[in-house]
Amino acid sequence: KRIVSDYDELKKDSVEKIAYLSEKLYIDPMTGLLNKAALTRDVNEYKYPKVILMDIDDFGKMNDYYGKYVCDQILKQMANLIKEFAKNENMKAYCIEADRFALVEDSDSFIDRYEDMVEDLIEIFKGRMLSIVDEDGREIEGIEIHSTIGFALDSDQTLRKATIALKTAKEQ
């Protein structure tokens, strides 16, 4: 009876640890959003993947100027805005690089939906002004954030095509 009890306890602990590690595998620790591994998994599983990528412009320069702590706070605020947008659009939000985010859904919607959505994203994020409290408790006001957006609606190599669209948009 004791062996069965020990086995059940061990099994329960193992299941909990596996669930915990599985969650960690697919979550970005900084933002709490899904990560690149989750994005790749989801895009490959979806029948009609639609991917919108958004990149914070000149984030490296911002990091040099404001420092890591402030820029981490910027990423967290941006992640919250993106998470809220994704929730309102019934999409999933991801942080796939330090300063790059993705919005994804499995849908056979027409291009009009995504053109309108990108316009909404531009409205929200173009020249977005943020205020951040630094590590010394001082408020830094008026940090202006600019972002570039690219998207792909094709079901074949969607993520690759969205990345190319983003790079093309950055060059303009």
Side-chain angles (χ1 to χ4, degrees), residues 5 19-20 48 52 82 87 136 151 171:
S5 174
Y20 172 78
Y48 304 107
I52 299 172
I82 289 165
K87 183 179 173 190
D136 298 322
F151 66 98
E171 291 169 2

Side-chain angles (χ1 to χ4, degrees), residues 43-164:
V43 168
N44 288 334
E45 287 178 2
Y46 289 167
K47 186 174 181 180
Y48 304 107
K50 306 296 188 257
V51 177
I52 299 172
L53 296 179
M54 189 172 84
D55 187 270
I56 300 173
D57 297 337
D58 299 318
F59 193 72
K61 291 178 184 174
M62 291 173 66
N63 228 331
D64 292 342
Y65 185 79
Y66 292 110
K68 183 181 180 335
Y69 181 87
V70 169
C71 285
D72 285 352
Q73 302 314 305
I74 289 170
L75 288 174
K76 289 175 184 177
Q77 281 195 28
M78 293 293 284
N80 286 336
L81 292 167
I82 289 165
K83 187 187 303 183
E84 183 181 323
F85 185 88
K87 183 179 173 190
N88 291 338
E89 294 292 337
N90 293 316
M91 299 181 86
K92 287 185 176 182
Y94 305 77
C95 181
I96 57 172
E97 289 178 24
D99 60 344
R100 186 169 292 176
F101 299 91
L103 294 162
V104 178
E105 73 177 347
D106 189 14
S107 170
D108 60 353
S109 297
F110 293 108
I111 191 169
D112 301 6
R113 168 171 162 69
Y114 303 98
E115 288 174 339
D116 292 345
M117 195 181 303
V118 168
E119 284 182 24
D120 291 344
L121 281 168
I122 290 169
E123 185 75 28
I124 293 167
F125 291 104
K126 184 178 182 181
R128 180 76 187 207
M129 301 299 281
L130 297 178
S131 294
I132 303 290
V133 176
D134 72 10
E135 60 266 42
D136 298 322
R138 293 183 303 241
E139 186 168 4
I140 302 171
E141 293 183 19
I143 300 174
E144 190 171 2
I145 309 295
H146 290 276
S147 302
T148 303
I149 298 170
F151 66 98
L153 310 178
D154 197 349
S155 295
D156 181 47
Q157 297 185 352
T158 314
L159 190 51
R160 186 174 151 271
K161 290 175 182 175
T163 302
I164 291 168

